[in-house]
Amino acid sequence: ETVGGYSINSLPKELPRLTMAVKESAHPPAAWVCQESQVGDVVDVKSGGTWQWEDGMDADADLLLLIAGGIGISPLLSIARAAAEASSRPKSVALMYSARTEVELAFRSEIELLASSGVTTSLFCTGEAAANTARERISVAHVQDMAKIRGADLRKTVVYLCGPPEMIDNLVDGVLAL
């Protein structure tokens, strides 16, 4: 029995159906899921937390800004989907997502569909030029620009970050200082 990394990206209302994101790699659990598993295979899943975004959370915010890097998109995409469907939601919802390459932009088509639900999306590729993406890292200046574009007061902007530690470290202090 080998434990592996995954992210649950289904909404609570979709239970008992569970959707997970697993990044293909040589790590045995990920390799098994991506290369060997079959429909109907039984797996054990253990959740790592109990927090979830719910309808009505952050409803007083001018902007709910979700910033994801790499596989950190999984939980934030779920929040974006839930916020888009919420009856009591922030005035504006935006998702900024960065990956090294265009191939690594997981859920790209689903992210692009969020625009029809009123979610503003921005895609970034840090390692290569890609269609309809910025070739740079997400920065504090991008956060300020998004708030300005959405007409949001930065003091009434709620930001959720999920991604590699270096990305989080580079953004947290600057975002908190806004």
Side-chain angles (χ1 to χ4, degrees), residues 44-144:
D44 291 320
V45 177
K46 181 179 178 184
S47 173
T50 59
W51 185 87
Q52 65 188 28
W53 193 93
E54 296 177 350
D55 194 342
M57 288 181 69
D58 308 315
D60 293 334
D62 277 0
L63 173 63
L64 172 61
L65 178 57
L66 308 166
I67 303 174
I71 200 62
I73 188 61
S74 294
L76 297 186
L77 179 58
S78 295
I79 293 172
R81 288 175 50 220
E85 297 175 8
S87 59
S88 179
R89 62 182 252 184
K91 291 179 186 171
S92 184
V93 180
L95 173 66
M96 302 170 84
Y97 174 37
S98 174
R100 272 179 279 203
T101 66
E102 187 170 18
V103 170
E104 292 180 347
L105 284 170
F107 307 107
R108 184 172 186 167
S109 58
E110 186 173 346
I111 291 166
E112 290 170 345
L113 285 174
L114 281 172
S116 64
S117 301
V119 176
T120 303
T121 61
S122 296
L123 301 175
F124 298 77
C125 281
T126 60
E128 68 181 18
N132 301 313
T133 67
R135 188 175 183 204
E136 56 192 325
R137 297 186 185 281
I138 299 170
S139 68
V140 173
H142 292 114
V143 172
Q144 291 172 307

Side-chain angles (χ1 to χ4, degrees), residues 61-63 147 150-158:
D62 277 0
L63 173 63
R150 301 306 305 157
D153 180 340
L154 283 168
R155 293 167 298 184
K156 294 178 115 185
T157 296
V158 176

